[in-house]
Amino acid sequence: MAGRTVIISGGGTGIGLATARAFARDGDTPVLVGRRAEVVERAAADIATAVALPADLTDPAEAARVARFVAERFGTVDVLVHSAGGSGLLEPGPDNGGADAPGGALAATAHAWTVAFRVNTLTAVLLTEALRDRLASPGGRVLFLSSIAAYRGSGTGAYAASKAALHPYAFDLARDLGPRGVTVNVVAPGYIEETEFFGDAMTPERRATLVAQTLDGRPGTPGDVAETLRWLASHAASHITSQVIQVNGGAERGH
Ligand SMILES: NC(=O)c1ccc[n+]([C@@H]2O[C@H](COP(=O)([O-])OP(=O)(O)OC[C@H]3O[C@@H](n4cnc5c(N)ncnc54)[C@H](OP(=O)(O)O)[C@@H]3O)[C@@H](O)[C@H]2O)c1
């Protein structure tokens, strides 16, 4: 199955980058999509077969531009991996100025929930809809990145809900695309190190708590998730569709 075209949103960092490297090792062509041009270009420069494609996937016009590029350059998409996402905490927004701020504290709440759904749900939905007619049929693969938070909550609920929303979308998509021989699955990681996900927010204490929740006593790596995605995209997984696979060292079950 070498030589496949693999579109990876969020492909410039973390899980997406590890996924690009894993597919490239198989001789596939990863297309790295992300907002920061310098990040996807630097990542692509390190991977012989990779192509950088800067775009903000919350913007329908940008998703359409990505689809046009893919159509002209490759024609068909073999694998679509949606790794773009984030907690939303790193995105600029209004301060929670309390009841005296314009819109009150609800303005900050509205912003947090809107950002979460735009960054985690809308990016994946827009790129899928832009490319669904180009998916290799049979054999195409669509893979979403959810989170352990979809099962356990995420504090405010906004991030968790925006990831959980991907599950029914994937189930509907799997039903629609199944007759074309395309599988659709979701991978839900637990705590994964060596990504930009937590920014500067990770403390040694929080890390220790997250690791202690696993049954194997270690944090996840981007490679753990990348290899799961690679397997789901392989011929060996062709009868697996409409599933959510958790990669978290057993942490969702807790102790
Ligand atoms: N790390 C964890 O512990 C963990 C756990 C569970 C789930 N996840 C999920 O796994 C996925 C990958 O995250 P990661 O851990 O690898 O973190 P990461 O390094 O922050 O990767 C997220 C990527 O998404 C891109 N992105 C964000 N908004 C985008 C947009 N509007 N358009 C295009 N690209 C966008 C970012 O690049 P730009 O900023 O340049 O756009 C970045 O490359 C995310 O969906 C995350 O929610 C992570």
Side-chain angles (χ1 to χ4, degrees), residues 10 12-16 33-36 55-58 83-86 119-120 123 145-147 159 163 189-192 195-198:
T13 67
I15 292 168
V33 186
R35 290 169 300 184
R36 291 166 295 170
D56 181 346
L57 294 171
T58 61
S83 196
V119 170
N120 292 299
T123 51
L145 267 299
S146 176
S147 170
Y159 172 71
K163 286 299 191 185
Y191 170 48
I192 306 295
T195 75
E196 293 186 356
F197 183 82
F198 294 96

Side-chain angles (χ1 to χ4, degrees), residues 130-215:
L131 289 173
R132 66 189 290 160
D133 292 342
R134 302 227 153 252
L135 290 163
S137 306
R141 301 282 192 263
V142 184
L143 295 161
F144 295 95
L145 267 299
S146 176
S147 170
I148 192 171
Y151 295 90
R152 302 200 309 191
S154 57
T156 68
Y159 172 71
S162 69
K163 286 299 191 185
L166 292 171
H167 301 190
Y169 178 60
F171 303 154
D172 281 343
L173 199 63
R175 195 175 297 111
D176 283 353
L177 299 181
R180 283 172 48 188
V182 176
T183 69
V184 181
N185 290 291
V186 181
V187 173
Y191 170 48
I192 306 295
E193 280 194 331
E194 298 158 28
T195 75
E196 293 186 356
F197 183 82
F198 294 96
D200 297 329
M202 184 53 66
T203 63
E205 294 74 23
R206 187 171 175 210
R207 178 185 185 279
T209 300
L210 292 170
V211 170
Q213 289 168 353
T214 66
L215 306 183

